[in-house]
């Protein structure tokens, strides 16, 4: 059997130039994780269903598990590790990096002074543990990973339908269900204690 030789692929990766020899059939996901040791790009469904492998290629979000590494030769690739973190003042505006945590926003002096409502709102989100880890890009702006929501074949509750298909369907990977008609929830929208019990703080917010 004729073996196709590896091809040299050059990437402008997270603001650095990287080169590697890869087989033509190797996905960008495998190249990033195994050839370049960038494990922040996750392999979950390996079918483009979950979004955990998403990277930016020339500014466009793509599933790296469905993208061949050779097709990215000479292109600009940004993984989660290359996204900005922190809060910067630019003129009259504050710029929040995608990896800025909710706790950092809550405590930042400029946010408190200029956008007090924002600081207060993120301080009420989820639990302390989640706020210390949850980021703008990873949690607040994350598109729901529920495959029923992402599929055009299902008119789920979150898209205006009458039922959450995840409740009685394939629901091994979505977040814990709370007392909600929708199971495809963002992890910062509600606090859930161990064993599925609702956190007292979250319950108090629900009663406001």
């Amino acid at each position: 059997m004729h073996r196709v030789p590896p091809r040299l692929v050059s990437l402008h990766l997270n603001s650095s130039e990287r080169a590697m020899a890869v087989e033509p059939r190797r996905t960008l996901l495998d190249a990033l994780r195994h050839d370049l040791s960038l494990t922040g790009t996750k392999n979950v469904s390996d079918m483009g269903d979950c979004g955990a492998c998403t990277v930016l290629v020339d500014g466009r979000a793509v599933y790296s598990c469905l993208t061949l590494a050779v097709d990215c030769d000479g292109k600009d690739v940004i993984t989660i590790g290359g996204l900005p973190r922190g809060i910067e003042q630019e003129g009259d505006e504050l710029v929040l990096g995608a990896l800025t945590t909710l706790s950092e926003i809550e405590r930042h002096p400029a946010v408190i002074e200029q956008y007090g409502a924002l600081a207060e709102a993120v301080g009420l989100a989820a639990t302390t543990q989640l706020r210390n880890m949850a980021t703008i890009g990873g949690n607040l702006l994350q598109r729901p990973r529920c495959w029923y929501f992402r599929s055009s074949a299902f008119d789920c509750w979150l898209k205006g339908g009458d039922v959450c298909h995840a409740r009685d369907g394939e629901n091994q990977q979505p977040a814990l269900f709370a007392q909600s008609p929708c199971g495809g929830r963002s992890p910062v929208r509600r606090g859930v204690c161990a064993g599925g019990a609702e956190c007292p703080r979250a319950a108090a917010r629900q009663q406001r």
Side-chain angles (χ1 to χ4, degrees), residues 170-198:
E170 296 291 334
N171 56 16
Q172 295 91 343
Q173 296 186 28
L176 291 175
F177 293 135
Q179 299 302 316
S180 166
C182 174
R185 312 196 66 173
S186 165
V188 301
R189 288 170 63 181
R190 191 168 194 174
V192 178
C193 296
E198 186 174 330

Side-chain angles (χ1 to χ4, degrees), residues 144-164:
R145 291 184 179 179
C146 175
W147 40 73
Y148 293 105
F149 172 83
R150 288 172 175 258
S151 173
S152 60
F154 295 92
D155 187 23
C156 73
W157 182 88
L158 194 58
K159 294 187 290 188
D162 297 323
V163 64
C164 173

Side-chain angles (χ1 to χ4, degrees), residues 75-96:
K75 296 183 178 181
D76 182 70
V77 178
I78 300 178
T79 69
I80 188 171
L83 295 175
R85 177 173 184 170
I87 302 173
E88 297 183 1
Q89 185 84 46
E90 292 188 2
D92 296 332
E93 299 179 346
L94 285 180
V95 177
L96 311 180

Side-chain angles (χ1 to χ4, degrees), residues 2 18 41 71 75 94 106 115 122-123 139 145 162 166 195:
H2 177 67
R18 302 291 296 271
T41 305
D71 290 338
K75 296 183 178 181
L94 285 180
E106 177 187 7
Y115 302 95
V122 297
N139 297 82
R145 291 184 179 179
D162 297 323

Side-chain angles (χ1 to χ4, degrees), residues 48-134:
D49 288 333
C50 67
C53 69
T54 303
V55 299
L56 297 177
V57 177
D58 283 348
R60 184 171 64 92
V62 303
Y63 296 144
S64 60
C65 71
L66 302 180
T67 304
L68 294 177
V70 294
D71 290 338
C72 299
D73 187 28
K75 296 183 178 181
D76 182 70
V77 178
I78 300 178
T79 69
I80 188 171
L83 295 175
R85 177 173 184 170
I87 302 173
E88 297 183 1
Q89 185 84 46
E90 292 188 2
D92 296 332
E93 299 179 346
L94 285 180
V95 177
L96 311 180
L99 297 186
T100 306
T101 66
L102 302 189
S103 292
E104 291 170 338
I105 298 172
E106 177 187 7
R107 296 191 297 261
H108 197 280
V111 177
I112 296 172
E113 179 181 353
Q114 301 176 40
Y115 302 95
L118 173 60
E120 182 179 355
V122 297
L124 295 174
T127 62
T128 302
Q129 294 91 333
L130 283 176
R131 290 197 302 276
N132 287 336
M133 296 297 295

